[in-house]
Amino acid sequence: MQPRYIITIDGPAGSGKSTVGRLLAAALGYLYLDSGALYRLVAWQAARLDLDLADAQALNAFLEGFQPEMASDSQGFHLWVEGREVTPLLREPQVTQASSRVAVLPRVRSWVTEKLRHWAQNGGVVAEGRDLGTVVFPQAEVKFYLDAALEVRAARRGLDWQKEEVTLPPEKVAQELAERDRRDATRAASPLRAAAEALVIDTTDLNPQEVVERCLARIREVLPAGCGPDVELEMKTG
Ligand code: DC
């Protein structure tokens, strides 16, 4: 059997992690794990249950019993709660801001980390987020850190929101992103940063395909010849 590796992609919102992660996972035949969706899920469910996040005992009891189901396919990463797919609901602006607030809580982080490690236990994973290469999978064989200029990231996020039929003025999108960046990068628990060994890619002027190609070139360089995924690292996704 082919060895199955762990590949991490970290970076701020709008840097291209999700698109690139999905394409890369499809090209390699790997599982795609979106850790941001799990922080969003905790924020969404906590709001639904009207949970007091400052109540450590209540938070702990909630997380211990919270067993969402996940699936990963060429369309991306999907989450179900009580038999219902909730993934699209997690992109809403209130959930987005709330997700970076729950992400400062160490108990929430340990819950997400545990889920990701469980799903990645057999390797063969492309996992993306803020602390995947630094904290969740420090042993990952290949690590990437994507970044891009704030205006470009905000424009990408604005387009995502248009697809969801949410219209927000560009200044509002940029402000929301900058606020989240600050919270994600300055928190005490697992702040956003590049792992020392990560390849940093500035995606400001690159399209997703170009970023994926750079990632594949790095994977070819780092993983031993003949031990990588069987596809000769060709793009299957066109
Ligand atoms: O990638 P995203 O926009 O879906 O992430 C939502 C929030 O979750 C983000 O503002 C910060 C948090 N997050 C985190 O703290 N650590 C991760 N590994 C992934 C996301």
Side-chain angles (χ1 to χ4, degrees):
M1 205 168 82
Q2 293 283 357
R4 293 175 63 78
Y5 300 100
I6 294 184
I7 296 172
T8 60
I9 309 178
D10 290 302
S15 56
K17 302 183 302 290
S18 304
T19 311
V20 169
R22 205 163 18 85
L23 291 171
L24 201 55
L28 302 173
Y30 276 21
L31 193 68
Y32 164 63
L33 297 178
D34 171 1
S35 61
L38 287 167
Y39 288 99
R40 289 167 182 270
L41 182 70
V42 170
W44 177 80
Q45 180 73 334
R48 242 177 115 218
L49 300 176
D50 204 16
L51 192 80
D52 176 6
L53 292 167
D55 180 342
Q57 251 184 341
L59 178 64
N60 195 46
F62 155 59
L63 290 174
E64 290 211 330
F66 191 31
Q67 300 285 354
E69 285 170 61
M70 75 87 186
S72 165
D73 59 24
S74 60
Q75 303 303 307
F77 182 75
H78 307 266
L79 289 166
W80 276 267
V81 173
E82 295 149 21
R84 167 163 86 122
E85 185 174 3
V86 299
T87 325
L89 307 175
L90 306 179
R91 310 302 311 174
E92 286 173 7
Q94 311 88 291
V95 182
T96 300
Q97 276 298 346
S99 64
S100 95
R101 287 195 289 270
V102 302
V104 304
L105 301 170
R107 180 64 188 98
V108 173
R109 302 205 70 82
S110 66
W111 182 86
V112 171
T113 298
E114 199 185 298
K115 288 269 173 285
L116 294 167
R117 287 181 182 161
H118 174 71
W119 289 329
Q121 63 192 323
N122 297 321
V125 159
V126 176
E128 59 103 335
R130 305 292 188 288
D131 62 341
L132 280 295
T134 51
V135 175
V136 182
F137 300 119
Q139 80 285 16
E141 283 82 8
V142 190
K143 301 181 183 181
F144 299 102
Y145 185 90
L146 307 188
D147 207 347
L150 178 65
E151 318 79 74
V152 171
R153 294 191 289 114
R156 289 174 186 161
R157 211 21 73 90
L159 281 179
D160 289 345
W161 274 345
Q162 264 174 29
K163 280 187 216 138
E164 310 286 328
E165 298 184 1
V166 177
T167 314
L168 284 176
E171 337 57 90
K172 179 91 183 96
V173 181
Q175 187 196 344
E176 185 270 346
L177 269 195
E179 227 173 86
R180 274 208 300 146
D181 283 355
R182 190 195 45 74
R183 205 160 31 225
D184 296 342
T186 59
R187 66 178 176 229
S190 316
L192 168 67
R193 64 181 179 79
E197 59 281 35
L199 174 70
V200 178
I201 305 178
D202 182 340
T203 70
T204 304
D205 298 314
L206 300 176
N207 65 37
Q209 203 72 21
E210 290 169 321
V211 181
V212 170
E213 264 148 32
R214 285 189 194 195
C215 293
L216 289 172
R218 172 68 160 200
I219 292 170
R220 276 190 211 102
E221 233 174 72
V222 172
L223 297 184
C227 292
D230 208 18
V231 287
E232 293 254 299
L233 306 178
E234 291 294 337
M235 295 287 295
K236 280 196 226 146
T237 45

